[in-house]
Amino acid sequence: MTTTPVLEAIDETLETQGRPPLNVIYEWLTTVDHKKIGLMYIVYALIFLVIAGFEAILMRIQLAIPNNHFVSPQVFNQLFTMHGTTMVFFMGMPILFGMGNYLVPLMIGARDMAFPRLNAFSFWISAFAGLLLYFSYIGGSGLYAAGSAPDVGWFAYAPLTSKVFSPGHSTDYWTLAVFLSGVGSIGTALNIVTTILCMRCKGMKMSRMPLLPWLYLVMSGLVFVAVSPLTAAQIMLTLDRYLGAHFFDTQAGGSAILWMHFFWIFGHPEVYVLVLPAFAFANEIIPVFSRKAMFGYPAMVAASVSIGFISLSVWAHHMFTAGLGPAGNTFFVFATMVISVPTGIKIFNWLATIWGGKIIFAVPMMFMIAFLFQFLIAGLTGIMLSAAPFNWQLSASYFVVAHFHYVLVGAIVFSLFSAFYFWYPKVTGRMMSETLGKWHFWLFLIGFHLTFDFMHVPGILGMPRRIYTYEAGRGWDTLNFIVGVGAIFQAAGTLVLVYNMIHSYYKGKEAGHDPWDAWTLEWSVPSPPPSYNFAIEPTVSSRRPLWDIKHPEDPDADYE
Amino acid sequence: MTTITTASRIPIDGPVETPWKLPYRGNVGMACLIIAESAIFIIFVVAYIYYIGKSLSGPTPAQVLELPIFGTICLLSSSIFVHFAVNNLRKDNLRGCTLNLAATVLLGTIFLATTAQEWYHLIHDEGLTIKTNLFGTTYYSLVGLHATHVVVGLIMLSLTLGLSLTGHVKEEHSEKLEVLSLYWHFVDAVWVVVFLVVYVIGR
């Protein structure tokens, strides 16, 4: 069975049109194809990854030795604000949405997203928001005075953001950028949910859907209830700054704590918005490289959904030191600790999947194994911080910074790297170099542990976060130097990745349809997939359709 | 292990569950939008409730607010008319659809006019603006957010009304009109909450 004449004609049109470079650019700018939009998301996020990573390196250079004057206090404030904001809103969310955009329709057997034009709109508005944030470097205070980026922290606590403490327009750039990125995120989330619920191919019941779309469904649901409050809070902040409203103005009876609540009602579920896709990649990659079906599919779905719900009731564990009183603190201690139950289920299910499997130590699997260990450690320090008395001691110290970077880098970024190596052949039709991949893995792994393992210790020794320098002789010097060295290793690893991606695009080995011998629908189409994805929309009868084709004697459907 | 090397394995055949029916994407998309919008409204409502009675200076809601009964009746009844419009279109009664749409737009516009009148009264006679105190801040932002949604809804309904007057709305569009009606029902439901919070609890 080959493609039908109509689709061949479409292929030909696509081949012949747009050969001159200008047409190619025009085609990308105006595309509504979910794969191209996904790739644009990923490229734009990678650019911001490099920028925000560079900001991190500058901060670590500043903190590497005591009494350093590499950057001024104000520049340091701008650096950590821009680093945090960029990494969360313009690297983390877009790159995960990009992966979802690319993979979800392919995995559920659809030809595109439910609303392709909304998809393009969401991308462009997010990209514009990122540019707007960095435009503040030239357009922030007054007329194009340089160096006026936002410096209120990515949490933008009131009253730091009031006109008195934050004159000029740098905070307005921050507010607008975050607001617009929120609009884009809600649009994409809406699109993903609708695609999953309404565009599945024949036979793909919810109980047969791969786990990746399932987790993207939960993640998108979280976006509605987490990002919208942030959008509302940004509207209020703008009203405060432009129309003289008093939401967060303590002089007129307003409350600074209310901003904290509104921000963390977004801020905590946001962690799960970022980590659920990371789980999603693990759910697809670990089974393939263990040569076993995912252990406990229904439990995984249930755990993901309950993580989604519980994560909405834990926001105030960021505010233990704000003085909520014993009743509030107790509730949020327990709510936070309850999250470890579904996450524990997930970790044990991954281990059970690996258990007794024929493990293949390809680069994606190496990243996944590191992910498992690091996510476990991140969870353990999370339990420590969820205990209010412990939190009172270490709140706003480098221990907290180390903890959340363990989640964001150790879990999410490692899982993301694994996903890059895993799906790169599908996207480009070529394999990534395994040798360079191993270089990337070891450089990044060593760098990650040098940075974030050692960062816990100055936190316990009392080093507060957000200080721009410190005196010698407090026992922080050597540790901070090691942390700085680790940051350089991570940067080197990331550059190897970027080189690998570009190099393999031209010189990589041909991948074919299914280089990993995997099971989900995206591996049944050519690499890279044609713009209509499926020549004929597929029909599935089990959770692992390609397994059934490869092993007709042992079909999956018998086990469901 | 066998490796699939050609596209020849597509389609992947299997027993098909018949009939294979998935929800209409317009409805699901609108439901998602409503969830997201509800979250935004909840934040504004929470801020309103949190700041009740915390203003450091007057005027207070009890001094200046009056129950907007007439506007409320107009807005809530417009929901019924938009429902009739969808029903009529489904039965291919184009004339009935147009008339009901016109009634919806008219009632929505009357509601908007009552809000405008109320704001005019508050600003000019009572001197209450968004700057005055916390009551002004929360009142104008919450009611204003709702009014913004009414305006958006009215624009979309008026466009539909225009299309239906020029004969472009057909029976096959009834699903799409239903999506719009869902939005309008949502705007009305939000008004019930705003009414209770601002005019009943807040006073």
Side-chain angles (χ1 to χ4, degrees), chain A residues 204-215:
Chain A
M204 185 165 287
K205 298 187 281 193
M206 291 300 274
S207 58
R208 272 182 200 158
M209 202 164 63
L211 280 167
L212 185 139
W214 251 116
L215 267 77

Side-chain angles (χ1 to χ4, degrees), chain A residues 340-351:
Chain A
S340 56
V341 176
T343 31
I345 291 173
K346 284 183 161 293
I347 290 197
F348 282 118
N349 278 1
W350 286 322
L351 292 180

Side-chain angles (χ1 to χ4, degrees), chain B residues 114-157:
Chain B
T114 61
T115 305
Q117 198 190 12
E118 186 185 20
W119 282 32
Y120 183 85
H121 165 72
L122 287 174
I123 294 169
H124 281 265
D125 305 341
E126 310 286 351
L128 178 77
T129 66
I130 198 166
K131 276 183 183 176
T132 310
N133 57 15
L134 278 174
F135 164 55
T137 297
T138 49
Y139 167 81
Y140 285 109
S141 56
L142 179 56
V143 176
L145 187 69
H146 179 262
T148 314
H149 282 77
V150 174
V151 171
V152 172
L154 279 178
I155 291 173
M156 292 191 295
L157 284 168

Side-chain angles (χ1 to χ4, degrees), chain A residues 172-240:
Chain A
D172 301 321
Y173 277 97
W174 181 85
T175 312
L176 269 177
V178 170
F179 175 84
L180 290 178
S181 120
V183 172
S185 305
I186 293 170
T188 311
L190 187 153
N191 222 333
I192 289 177
V193 170
T194 313
T195 308
I196 292 173
L197 292 183
C198 308
M199 311 278 284
R200 278 166 292 139
C201 66
K202 282 203 185 85
M204 185 165 287
K205 298 187 281 193
M206 291 300 274
S207 58
R208 272 182 200 158
M209 202 164 63
L211 280 167
L212 185 139
W214 251 116
L215 267 77
Y216 266 90
L217 185 67
V218 178
M219 173 260 208
S220 304
L222 264 185
V223 167
F224 300 142
V225 283
V227 175
S228 306
L230 181 73
T231 307
Q234 303 298 350
I235 297 173
M236 291 178 182
L237 184 58
T238 308
L239 290 177
D240 269 15

